Amino acid sequence: MIERMILIGYGGQGMMLFGRLLARVAMLDGKQVTFFPSYGTEVRGGAACYHLIVSTEEIFSPVVEEADTIIVMNQPSYLKLKNYLMPSSHLFLNSSLVKEAESFGEVKNIYRIPATEIANELGNVVASNMVMMGAYNTVKNLVPLPLFLDCLKSSLSGRKAPLFEINKLALLRGKEYVKKVYLKGEKTLEVSVV
Amino acid sequence: MIERMILIGYGGQGMMLFGRLLARVAMLDGKQVTFFPSYGTEVRGGAACYHLIVSTEEIFSPVVEEADTIIVMNQPSYLKLKNYLMPSSHLFLNSSLVKEAESFGEVKNIYRIPATEIANELGNVVASNMVMMGAYNTVKNLVPLPLFLDCLKSSLSGRKAPLFEINKLALLRGKEYVKKVYLKGEKTLEVSVV
Amino acid sequence: MVMVRIDKELCKGCELCIPFCPYNSLNMSRNLNEYGLPTVYFKEGHPCSGCRHCAVMCPEAAIEILE
Amino acid sequence: MVMVRIDKELCKGCELCIPFCPYNSLNMSRNLNEYGLPTVYFKEGHPCSGCRHCAVMCPEAAIEILE
Amino acid sequence: MQALYRAPETLLRVPTHYCPGCGHGIVQRLLAEIIDEWGIRGKTIGLAPVGCAVLAYNYLDIDMSEAAHGRPPAVATGIKRVYPDNIVFSYQGDGDLAAIGMAEIIHAASRAENITVIFANNAIYGMTNGQLAPTTLLNQRTTTTPEGRNPLTHGYPLRVCELLATLDGASFIARTSLSSPKNVLQTKEAIKKGFKTQIEKKGFSLIEVLSPCPVYWRMSPVDSLKFIEEKMTQTYPLGVFKDWGKKEL
Amino acid sequence: MQALYRAPETLLRVPTHYCPGCGHGIVQRLLAEIIDEWGIRGKTIGLAPVGCAVLAYNYLDIDMSEAAHGRPPAVATGIKRVYPDNIVFSYQGDGDLAAIGMAEIIHAASRAENITVIFANNAIYGMTNGQLAPTTLLNQRTTTTPEGRNPLTHGYPLRVCELLATLDGASFIARTSLSSPKNVLQTKEAIKKGFKTQIEKKGFSLIEVLSPCPVYWRMSPVDSLKFIEEKMTQTYPLGVFKDWGKKEL
Amino acid sequence: MKSSNNKKQLLTGNEAAAEAAILAGCRYYYGYPITPQNELVNHMAIRMPQVGGTFLQAESEIAAIYMAYGSAAAGARVMTSSSSPGISLMQEGISYLAGSELPCVIVNMQRGGPGLGDISPSQADYFQAVKGGGHGDYRTIVLAPASVQEIADLVYDAFDLADRYRNPVMLLGDAQLGQMMEPVELKKIPRTQQTPRWAVTGAEGRARNIIKSFYPVKGELEAFNIRLQRKYKVVEQKEVRYEEVNTERAEIILVAYGTCARICKEALRRISGTGLQIGLLRPISLWPFPKEPLRRLAKKAKAFCVVEMSSGQMLEDVKLAVLNRCPVHFYGRMGGGVPSSKEVIKKVLNILAPEESTLELEMSEISQELGKGLYFSTIP
Amino acid sequence: MKSSNNKKQLLTGNEAAAEAAILAGCRYYYGYPITPQNELVNHMAIRMPQVGGTFLQAESEIAAIYMAYGSAAAGARVMTSSSSPGISLMQEGISYLAGSELPCVIVNMQRGGPGLGDISPSQADYFQAVKGGGHGDYRTIVLAPASVQEIADLVYDAFDLADRYRNPVMLLGDAQLGQMMEPVELKKIPRTQQTPRWAVTGAEGRARNIIKSFYPVKGELEAFNIRLQRKYKVVEQKEVRYEEVNTERAEIILVAYGTCARICKEALRRISGTGLQIGLLRPISLWPFPKEPLRRLAKKAKAFCVVEMSSGQMLEDVKLAVLNRCPVHFYGRMGGGVPSSKEVIKKVLNILAPEESTLELEMSEISQELGKGLYFSTIP
Ligand SMILES: Cc1ncc(C[n+]2csc(CCOP(=O)(O)OP(=O)(O)O)c2C)c(N)n1
Ligand SMILES: Cc1ncc(C[n+]2csc(CCOP(=O)(O)OP(=O)(O)O)c2C)c(N)n1
Ligand code: SF4
Ligand code: SF4
Ligand code: SF4
Ligand code: SF4
Ligand code: SF4
Ligand code: SF4
Ligand SMILES: [Mg+2]
Ligand SMILES: [Mg+2]
């Protein structure tokens, strides 16, 4: 199996953390993995874009040319995703911030998650990344959730330990939301094997 | 005709000035000329070595591989001249400072001029270079002496103007010395045409 | 009357304008601009002396003060 | 008795040693060393207190003072 | 209605790339205000550094040139020697000016180069993610001093104004801060004095501005201002360190 | 007979490449004397600069390394961090230290790098034939200031001790001269104090030595000493500019 | 948790370089921040104090390389790192290291240039690294990893090579390799440094040592250069490293290093089963360059195609190795552009269609696309 | 006093470079002393004030190149100069100049390296100059004079080329050319500088100008690089310069530039009349390199022999041009060694005697002599 992902958002939206965590969990789960940031620029404030590949086979090119999954966190980032789309791509949009301006042609699997709103309700706007994670993993089942939570916990050590609960909650809310709105009791999708 | 010269001495002995002057005079006399310093090192105090070529034809290599004339001003420099000698070379030694330790094989034309002593007697040790010039040009007749004196004069302008007379005198003493000791009334040599 | 206008697309919600207002007339809104950043707003009806403290502190030059 | 020895091969004739001798016991010779440089000599018979001024000033460490 | 405050025309109306609450935005705005007020847009030439302010030319509507990391004073010299009657300023961060560019700034000052340097001291390398700067405070944590700056290993905070004020060629040297509206306005006055120094051909001027970097100080922007007032000014006292004008009065 | 003065053993008995009357020879001899007197040949490591003293390692019988032009403080840092208990000194000229190497010297001092710098200030670039140095006096003629140093074009003489003394990391900063036996002996004392600073791990020490370059000053060696006394010390007053020892007494 | 990944850590290339250096006994690191190698500096700042080593943030890249020069002169294993503009500033220092025969490991995570450029991946410092961006006839051993694991392995080896040949060794990565995270196993044996006898340590009880590159006596510098060249000959004989993939039956052989080599492997995977016979030669040591394998392959291959993130720099070395024996094509992206495996395949198909011209630099089509209609301002 | 030499001055190469720059309208010079180019700095110090120009002794080579960058950005004709170690320090700046498309003339009077080396003549910075010692895909136009007169002529032309292509131009001389005195005639027309419209001058009454090399938006840097490469293609088409001597009937063609080319001419003169048919191709522009003439000659010549004061750097460009069409031999001296015409002749005779191996770098015999018995310390 291979899962090629693009994560993209504003610098402060925690996509780096999200990607690293996912990569780490996949590694511990015995998979091959590459993860790298492809910033546009040396400067602050722009969109940050990450390529993550998880595979059971050796990964050659770490560059995602066509993405199995794209997660988009805000409006400016939204404008940059088109190059990576295939008809079979799964697209996760943070609908709190992304105002869709165009259609995605043949792409069927579009999930609009109001991640920022959900996180805001939990009182921590940065947790929007975990809302997306909850939604994403529920749909694509990339990694075992307990292992993910273990790793999340150990990554939030020391001063940050109190944040674990809110992040976990955000993750569960994302899961609930996507189930309720999109999966409506269906079995979650299997990871596509290429 | 071509005259390939090596001038070699201690930093303070005015060989640079001597060479530049000779080059300039030769140029004004309508000759092709190249002159360059080939110091051993970036550092002070070592022997300074100059290559001067005067020719009626275009000069290709400015490097003197075999010298028609070598002028040596002091002992350490003396040790470095052997590479350049041909049987036909003319060798001018400042016998005040050079203690000859070895013979020069087939080299016939050796002129030992006590240039430092002569200059010292005139009260200016640096004028030893002009003593050598006097001796050299008398033997090899490279440049017209009046033109040389003109150029010497214009090179000693301003504060240095008073030095002209002593330099001129040194030159004449060198001329006299070489005539008396070596040429003994013979006609001075013609410049060899190669 | 003095009016304070804040350009929502330029404001980054840094809050530097807020503490220096002598009338405490500025506040953070929960609205996010397109970057996902919250922005500041002038509390409708609050007084404003036109002292310019807010504008002087604003790194984005997002504040305009009109009289 | 104090003796001052000057190494002719090291001395460069800079004369820095000369003016600081309280007895004016050092002088330039007209002899040149092999570089063509004049060297300094101790005036035979002149006094020397062993004050070391000359040695302290010598850039070439050419001066030795013996007692 | 009439504007009590309106963004200066020389400041282009585009979103900046700075983090929320970054001091660079304030200083740049002040520069634009002065250029507008004095009507000197047509004769001012600016130098953008390599640092968070690298894109300053995207915001200021004047002729500008980039300079490699640390070299704005040299580039400014090259420009100023061609246009001695223009106003040439460099904008530099503390990494740029006080680390890699130390030789250039000292020599520009010592040469009495008739330029104005705006020195944004935020005690950190902003652009490269928060490493130690020469001006980082003792015990301050940065990505390269995770346990805080220890003078035994990383040396002491470097006080640029005090250093440059010892040079004969430096004519106006002042340190201001952005910690309050009053200090921001004083910064503006100091920059004006710097420009005046240059216009009157009095030699080198530098205005050090204590400027917040909330992101790598790991504080809110408002707390950053407090940090400047309470901590930073202890090591870097505000004031005028050299002033040709004083001598003349 | 017993020696009242004999050249130190650490000084190798070879003719130097220096011009007659050059100050470098004196300072080098002093270093060798101290190394002999203190018996520290085995733990001293020296840095030779690029400048007329480039061949210092030909004369001092100790471990030595070359450093590129201006970089002795960086190289010394790299050595000292490996051998914190050795005595590491750099020997530098004014071009080396005060022009191209300005950033390195300031930062070594500000880092309180535990090394000793011997700074031979002869107000000229000796090795490259007498160009302007940062420390060249006003109106002094050099090959690159044929009409004399003019502050409007070439800037002002740079006072290194005064500059470095503003830095917290600098512990012992002194200026001496070679203009008389008394001053030469004081130079020796100052170097000893520098080494002591280092041995006691008190931080950075620098001894600036006003040193004659008769050739490019175009004077006799003896006149050069007068020039130091009468002219050079006006711009560069002798004295101790910073002294940790004083604080402690 | 599968056991195979047990000992692995998920590290960026930059962090892996730091960890491998520590494993190799490097206890002195001097560096200056620059994206995309900041993680290396930052990681060293944390790790060196933990292992009793020295981390020092230098005031500049120039100071960093000369601090490294100092620690190398003192006989210690030492490393510095930077990215393109910073490496340019180190050129004098690298020439001095080579000239003083000092071992030192230098990491360059290349970014887009020239000038300030950008921080995206690039391979446009190949000439600088391999031909020598500094002055004089010197050589730097240049190793080019293609994965985070290989970064770790090659950094470790780099220290041994540097010591064995008393020569600077450069690890030539790029923004992508430096910032990418992959699982890494630090499998080599930890080392401790032995102080070599030539180092300056204080001449206690022995004749003094001198570290220098100055040879002012006529003839000495030439003699020294001859000695250097002999040393380089030995390196060229002994230290060539490369990888071959499917070269046995290949008609077209791709030549690529680092990130581009991985993309070429992806291209190979994509076309496997199509019947196309494409191989890859991946130079691992860029200097010494794997000339012999290329010459060997030139005897049977139909054509080579060099793939680089540059306008064609390694291309010259490939041509020099292959000479006229076989056509050499080129596909390059520049200034932060990273070729895709699709582009590589397209290029290969293009080569197989015989209307193409050979041997001349060909700009990528995508690049031509991008450049279309650009204002060409500079020629009046 | 013969009339032909009437207008001539006896100048060193360094002085001639300075005078020609002034003639070309250069009024800004920034430099830092280093042997063997001190006469250039010193001469500018005297002359610039006389012509109302600016001479400034920078605090370092780095400051010098960036001051030059500033004056270039301001639209002025500007020059800097140095020798090998100083030029290494300028590599970042040269990359920035190329990246910002700024015209600037840089003189390198090469000395022996690596490291501090020596001050004797060398051609070992060829790679640095021609391939680019800085980072990124840029090119510097490199001109190689062989006499003091040609220094004057090429420096003058260098300013035109720099302006025409908005690109740095390097004059690559050596210690010998810089310090040698020869008669020179400054025969070209004096120029005054026109401020180009892209320069930063103060944006009075017009849209602002920006000088930069930073392209942070994805794709822009690549587009810029493509534009640069197109410009370089034009330069390669239009600006190749070289001299041919006796190549018509030559069996062996010497390839040499600068000082070495003169020595080769001496060798040609020495053997004239012996019946040996030897020619010389002298590249004057090193980049763009005269590939085409070499290819043309490769069709009829028996062999080439490259003569350099290096371990064989231009050799690579000759091989790349000639490819396998013809054997390429090499005779080199290093680290301050200057080949003699006798050595060149010996080498040529050697090539004509067929027992020799071809194509591999061959160290000069004299060099081998010197190196004999040298302690090879570095490989344990
Ligand atoms: C030669 C070189 N070295 C390093 C860098 C990387 N770099 C970019 S900005 C910067 C420092 C930024 O710090 P500062 O100057 O304080 O500016 P700030 O971002 O804090 O405003 C560094 C090291 C570079 N671009 N070029
Ligand atoms: C990078 C570099 N730039 C310039 C030089 C040339 N250079 C050698 S020594 C020197 C300056 C010498 O002056 P100073 O440091 O004052 O020493 P001094 O000779 O006066 O003792 C210079 C510029 C060099 N070797 N390397
Ligand atoms: S102008 Fe003054 S009173 Fe008005 S909102 Fe701003 S800070 Fe408050
Ligand atoms: S200071 Fe400006 S950017 Fe910050 S919150 Fe207020 S209006 Fe917004
Ligand atoms: S020791 Fe004193 S008294 Fe004796 S010669 Fe020297 S200076 Fe004169
Ligand atoms: S000080 Fe030394 S070198 Fe100078 S003259 Fe006296 S003995 Fe000779
Ligand atoms: S990192 Fe700091 S200095 Fe840079 S833009 Fe953000 S707040 Fe400003
Ligand atoms: S040039 Fe000056 S500094 Fe150099 S050796 Fe001669 S006197 Fe000493
Ligand atoms: Mg900063
Ligand atoms: Mg000096």
Side-chain angles (χ1 to χ4, degrees), chain E residues 41 57 63 66 78 83 86, chain H residues 71 74 201 206 208-209 211 213:
Chain E
R41 174 187 174 274
Y57 47 70
D63 272 10
E66 177 179 289
Y83 300 115
N86 281 33
Chain H
S71 291
T201 62
R206 57 160 173 77
R208 75 211 161 104
N209 286 331
I211 302 291
S213 63

Side-chain angles (χ1 to χ4, degrees), chain G residues 3 8 13 16 33 46 51 77 110 112 128 130 148 163 165 181 216 235 244 257 260 274 309 329 332 369 380:
Chain G
S3 65
K8 293 197 175 167
I46 296 167
V51 297
R77 288 199 151 180
Q110 300 166 86
Q128 184 191 60
V130 169
V148 176
D163 276 357
Y165 296 103
M181 299 189 99
V235 177
E244 287 182 64
Y257 71 95
C260 280
T274 62
M309 294 189 288
H329 300 260
E369 194 68 21

Side-chain angles (χ1 to χ4, degrees), chain F residues 12 41-42 45 57 60-66 68 71 74-75 77-79 81-83 86 104 107 111, chain G residues 28 30 56 59 62 66-67 69-71 74 96 195 199-204 206 208-214:
Chain F
L12 297 165
R41 174 186 174 273
I45 303 174
Y57 47 71
L60 293 174
D61 183 29
I62 55 172
D63 272 11
M64 287 193 80
S65 173
E66 178 178 289
R71 319 304 173 196
V75 176
T77 298
I79 294 174
R81 296 269 170 153
V82 178
Y83 300 115
N86 281 32
E104 284 76 11
H107 282 278
R111 260 195 326 266
Chain G
Y28 298 89
Y30 307 98
L56 187 56
E59 61 270 27
I62 292 183
Y66 283 109
M67 288 172 183
Y69 181 105
S71 291
Y96 266 82
T195 305
V200 292
T201 61
E204 193 68 67
R206 58 159 173 78
R208 76 213 161 103
N209 286 332
I210 297 171
I211 302 292
K212 59 151 188 150
S213 63
F214 187 44

Side-chain angles (χ1 to χ4, degrees), chain H residues 75-98:
Chain H
R77 286 199 152 180
V78 60
M79 173 154 125
T80 184
S81 64
S82 188
S83 176
S84 309
I87 298 287
S88 289
L89 287 172
M90 293 185 182
Q91 291 307 316
E92 187 207 28
I94 294 173
S95 175
Y96 266 81
L97 284 164

Side-chain angles (χ1 to χ4, degrees), chain G residues 62 66 84-86 88-89 91-92 95-96 98-99 101 111-120 122 124-125 127-128 131-139 163-166 197 213-219 221-235 238 291 295 309-313 315-317 319-320 322-325 332-338 359-361 363-364 366-380, chain H residues 62 66 84-86 88-89 91-92 95-96 98-99 101 111-120 122 124-125 127-128 131-139 163-166 197 213-235 238 291 295 309-313 315-317 319-320 322-325 332-338 359-361 363-364 366-368 370-380:
Chain G
I62 292 183
Y66 283 109
S84 309
S88 289
L89 288 172
Q91 291 308 314
E92 188 207 27
S95 175
Y96 266 82
E101 296 198 86
R111 54 187 253 180
L116 189 50
D118 190 3
I119 57 162
S120 42
S122 168
D125 303 352
F127 278 149
Q128 184 191 60
K131 305 293 167 192
H135 57 287
D137 273 310
Y138 71 93
R139 289 292 187 176
D163 276 357
R164 188 171 319 136
Y165 296 103
R166 286 187 64 178
R197 65 189 151 64
S213 63
F214 187 44
Y215 291 92
V217 176
K218 202 175 161 87
L221 184 62
E222 185 159 27
F224 171 68
N225 267 279
I226 291 165
R227 183 149 69 74
L228 275 185
Q229 294 296 326
R230 285 213 194 128
K231 174 167 92 175
Y232 298 154
K233 272 254 144 59
V234 176
V235 177
K238 294 198 180 173
K291 282 186 242 176
R295 274 183 206 161
M309 294 189 288
S310 85
S311 67
Q313 300 194 4
L315 175 63
E316 291 199 357
D317 280 333
K319 283 187 182 174
L320 278 168
V322 169
L323 289 172
N324 235 4
R325 296 180 190 107
R333 294 287 300 272
M334 291 181 297
V338 179
L359 272 167
E360 276 317 296
L361 179 154
M363 210 72 71
S364 86
I366 287 195
S367 298
Q368 276 162 22
E369 194 68 21
L370 266 170
K372 208 168 277 172
L374 272 168
Y375 165 56
F376 189 35
S377 71
T378 54
I379 300 191
Chain H
I62 291 182
Y66 283 109
S84 309
S88 289
L89 287 172
Q91 291 307 316
E92 187 207 28
S95 175
Y96 266 81
E101 295 197 87
R111 54 187 252 180
L116 188 50
D118 191 2
I119 57 161
S120 42
S122 167
D125 303 351
F127 278 148
Q128 184 192 58
K131 304 293 165 190
H135 58 286
D137 273 309
Y138 71 93
R139 288 293 187 176
D163 276 357
R164 188 169 321 134
Y165 297 103
R166 285 187 66 179
R197 63 190 151 65
S213 63
F214 187 44
Y215 291 91
V217 177
K218 203 177 162 82
E220 276 188 358
L221 183 62
E222 184 159 27
F224 171 68
N225 267 279
I226 291 165
R227 182 148 71 75
L228 274 186
Q229 293 297 325
R230 285 212 194 128
K231 173 167 95 175
Y232 298 154
K233 272 252 142 59
V234 176
V235 177
K238 293 198 181 172
K291 281 186 243 178
R295 275 185 206 160
M309 295 189 288
S310 84
S311 67
Q313 300 193 3
L315 175 63
E316 291 198 356
D317 280 333
K319 283 188 183 176
L320 279 168
V322 170
L323 289 173
N324 234 5
R325 296 180 190 108
R333 294 285 303 269
M334 291 181 297
V338 180
L359 273 167
E360 276 317 297
L361 179 154
M363 211 70 72
S364 86
I366 288 194
S367 298
Q368 277 161 22
L370 268 170
K372 209 169 277 171
L374 273 168
Y375 166 56
F376 190 36
S377 70
T378 54
I379 301 193

Side-chain angles (χ1 to χ4, degrees), chain F residues 24 51-52 92-96 119-127 131 133 135 213:
Chain F
H24 288 312
C52 280
Q92 305 187 245
D94 42 3
D96 192 66
F119 169 37
N121 178 0
N122 58 11
I124 204 96
Y125 283 28
M127 164 147 274
Q131 293 89 351
T135 53
C213 172

Side-chain angles (χ1 to χ4, degrees), chain A residues 83-96:
Chain A
N83 295 332
Y84 305 109
L85 281 176
M86 308 184 287
S88 65
S89 298
H90 286 66
L91 183 56
F92 294 81
L93 302 175
N94 176 6
S95 57
S96 311

